[in-house]
Amino acid sequence: MATPAELRLEGLQVGRLEPVDLRLGPGITTLHGPSGSGKTLFLRALADLEPHAGRAWLDGREQAALPAHLWRRRVMLVPAEAHWWGERVGDHFARRDDRLLEALGLPVAAWGWSPARLSSGERQRLALARALVLEPRALLLDEPTANLDAHSRERLEDLVQDYRTARNAIVLWVSHDPEQRARLGGTQLALRPSGQGFALHVEAA
Amino acid sequence: MDLIHLGPLDLGLAAALVLMLAALSLYLGLGVERRLLLAALRSLIQLGLLGLVLKTLFAQTHPLPIFALTGVMLAVAAWEVRARQRHRFRGPWGIGIGALSMFVSSFSVTLLALVVVIRPTPWYAPQYLIPFLGMLLGNTMSGIAIGLESLTRQACDLRPVLEDRLALGHPWQQVIAPLRREAMRAGLIPIINAMSVAGVVSLPGMMTGQILAGSPPMEAAKYQLLILFLIAAGTGFGAAAALWVASRRLFDGRERLRLDRLDGV
């Protein structure tokens, strides 16, 4: 079993968000807050996709000390809406894992599908899958079940739970749904108005 | 060699054709008459001035005014590259990328042609240096302008895809490579087309000029070939240099896509 992942932030500051000091351990942490509070920006800063102040460490290695693309391989953002560049779905995967597709309720034939013909729900599940095959240590999910029906949502939640347990990985999950947050368990983080901007609060453990 | 001199009436006839075209554009509402006349006026003034400047320049061999003119040509070409971009790089990069890549390609290829191939004395003799550099700058300018425009337009259009690939941990070089290939292709197509049809469909400008001025056709053909090859090399290396610097500039040290470094995004 992999060693427990640890993501540590010191004075991380982006957009209108006040500096964040935080330590995330293995397991699921959820994040919510009003729209425009900077949830996506915060995730992008964690993945170093957005210029930001402050420092971050993953498993004791500092963000600035790793080439950015290697950091993103370990701290991986799955955007709310994924985009596709290849002709076939399979072109976007470092490794074709048939069991992963099945776990998401998709047929193996999906490797050969054209991305242009995917439904929004299929796109969302495949976006998670193409990140999971890269086995990141920290998974940043931006409303990953927004376009899914109850059944697909449950499957995706189970899959992420299995992944974080098996890999001892960190999952930071943006969710608007209080029931989902309770179901996922773990620490709940919230962005709340503070002065001119927003501040990160720990709501429940 | 017989040189048939052009009189004011001959030029006036050609100019009248351009005026007629402008009138047609006005009549049909094509909306290009202003730009057409302005460009024609610009060429009239610029070529007239160049004729005067070259006349003075050819009469002496002091290098300083010659190099000063090449500097002016480069600056104007760099400005023109910048003017043709919809999404310009902010700050000095906007003009710097074009100037640097044209300097590297046009100047070095001209230098090579003069010092190794033509070998005039002195090597900077303006009768050779200025026309060579002019042809090279004019063509590399187009190639670089088209290439840069293609790169920045694609980067803006494909931003979500580029961001997703970065998020998946792809290095920036890998993410920009397909865009750079396409931009390179776009920049090189004009000169590739020109070489493909040279002598069959089109009689290139320089050869036409030489033949009209009384040179033997075979000599004119050899010069034209030299020019075509030099232009192809200059355009290719110039576009490659410009696209390399520009694509590097689209990302920062942390491999983030920085479209905020472009105007009009």
Side-chain angles (χ1 to χ4, degrees):
Chain A
M1 185 143 157
T3 53
E6 187 204 39
L7 184 63
R8 201 153 56 79
L9 311 178
E10 202 179 279
L12 190 111
Q13 197 276 316
V14 62
R16 294 196 301 145
L17 184 63
E18 287 176 4
V20 174
D21 294 306
L22 188 67
R23 199 202 138 270
L24 291 177
I28 295 187
T29 304
T30 60
L31 172 65
H32 66 107
S35 33
S37 58
K39 301 181 293 290
T40 300
L41 212 56
F42 179 57
L43 294 195
R44 284 175 55 85
L46 290 183
D48 209 2
L49 284 163
E50 198 72 32
H52 59 85
R55 303 165 74 184
W57 292 262
L58 177 76
D59 301 338
R61 294 193 69 179
E62 193 173 357
Q63 192 180 60
L66 269 179
H69 64 275
L70 294 181
W71 174 269
R72 290 180 199 128
R73 279 289 290 253
R74 293 163 170 78
V75 181
M76 190 167 292
L77 171 71
V78 179
E81 193 169 334
H83 298 83
W84 309 82
W85 58 91
E87 300 218 345
R88 304 272 158 238
V89 166
D91 299 345
H92 304 81
F93 284 74
R95 187 164 55 80
R96 294 190 179 192
D97 184 340
D98 292 347
R99 282 197 315 189
L100 185 59
L101 279 196
E102 280 159 25
L104 285 164
L106 293 164
V108 172
W111 296 127
W113 289 353
S114 159
R117 291 181 39 229
L118 296 174
S119 73
S120 57
E122 287 162 347
R123 261 203 299 278
Q124 199 150 33
R125 282 177 283 168
L126 286 166
L128 176 69
R130 78 184 182 187
L132 284 181
V133 298
L134 294 166
E135 301 182 356
R137 296 287 282 153
L139 200 52
L140 313 175
L141 306 177
D142 197 352
E143 300 189 54
T145 57
N147 299 311
L148 301 186
D149 58 45
H151 181 62
S152 300
R153 192 184 61 218
E154 224 166 87
R155 281 186 128 151
L156 189 141
E157 285 173 8
D158 289 345
L159 179 70
V160 173
Q161 291 280 18
D162 288 348
Y163 177 81
R164 63 103 179 159
T165 315
R167 307 280 312 164
N168 232 336
I170 296 164
V171 176
L172 183 55
W173 186 314
V174 173
S175 170
H176 280 301
D177 176 5
E179 283 175 30
Q180 184 177 46
R181 292 200 297 272
R183 201 163 54 235
L184 292 169
T187 310
Q188 295 199 18
L189 303 174
L191 293 177
R192 295 216 204 97
S194 158
Q196 296 295 309
F198 290 87
L200 189 76
H201 292 267
V202 181
E203 282 205 327
Chain B
M1 240 180 351
D2 284 340
L3 195 58
I4 303 168
H5 280 277
L6 291 180
L9 211 65
D10 308 318
L11 278 180
L13 183 71
L17 287 175
V18 176
L19 283 176
M20 278 164 61
L21 181 62
L24 182 74
S25 162
L26 194 65
Y27 179 67
L28 292 178
L30 302 179
V32 292
E33 61 278 356
R34 264 180 60 90
R35 273 160 63 190
L36 180 71
L37 289 178
L38 201 68
L41 195 68
R42 263 186 75 168
S43 68
L44 178 72
I45 296 171
Q46 287 161 193
L47 287 177
L49 277 178
L50 181 69
L52 279 179
V53 169
L54 288 185
K55 195 174 158 187
T56 325
L57 220 53
F58 287 3
Q60 55 96 52
T61 49
H62 197 280
L64 198 65
I66 299 171
F67 292 140
L69 180 62
T70 64
V72 171
M73 289 163 74
L74 178 68
V76 174
W79 188 259
E80 191 66 31
V81 166
R82 185 180 176 279
R84 290 188 196 177
Q85 307 297 314
R86 194 153 48 98
H87 302 298
R88 296 163 190 159
F89 282 91
R90 289 178 198 275
W93 295 90
I95 200 150
I97 291 175
L100 181 80
S101 49
M102 278 188 292
F103 180 74
V104 169
S105 61
S106 293
F107 278 60
S108 54
V109 169
T110 303
L111 203 66
L112 179 82
L114 290 179
V115 174
V116 180
V117 186
I118 312 263
R119 277 179 285 181
T121 25
W123 65 265
Y124 52 81
Q127 290 89 332
Y128 295 91
L129 175 61
I130 300 299
F132 256 95
L133 190 63
M135 297 215 59
L136 277 162
L137 272 179
N139 285 280
T140 50
M141 181 181 79
S142 297
I144 288 170
I146 295 170
L148 282 178
E149 167 73 15
S150 166
L151 183 78
T152 52
R153 185 182 38 72
Q154 288 182 82
C156 293
D157 292 350
L158 297 176
R159 173 186 204 148
V161 161
L162 302 182
E163 293 271 13
D164 274 19
R165 295 194 62 182
L166 290 174
L168 286 167
H170 297 182
W172 72 272
Q173 297 98 324
Q174 206 176 317
V175 170
I176 201 71
L179 283 64
R180 193 156 52 185
R181 255 196 312 275
E182 174 58 28
M184 188 74 192
R185 211 183 59 82
L188 279 182
I189 284 225
I191 179 64
I192 290 176
N193 287 345
M195 285 200 288
S196 317
V197 299
V200 186
V201 180
S202 72
L203 213 54
M206 181 186 182
M207 189 164 167
T208 311
Q210 276 197 312
I211 291 176
L212 288 181
S215 292
M218 205 52 216
E219 289 307 304
K222 281 192 277 184
Y223 263 94
Q224 186 59 56
L225 266 181
L226 180 70
I227 285 287
L228 274 178
F229 292 163
L230 293 179
I231 286 175
T235 307
F237 292 128
L243 292 175
W244 193 84
V245 177
S247 50
R248 186 74 196 82
R249 182 71 192 153
L250 284 175
F251 297 87
D252 65 15
R254 296 302 296 167
E255 305 182 47
R256 305 180 190 112
L257 183 64
R258 297 297 297 271
L259 293 183
D260 56 318
R261 290 174 174 175
L262 296 175
D263 269 330
V265 176

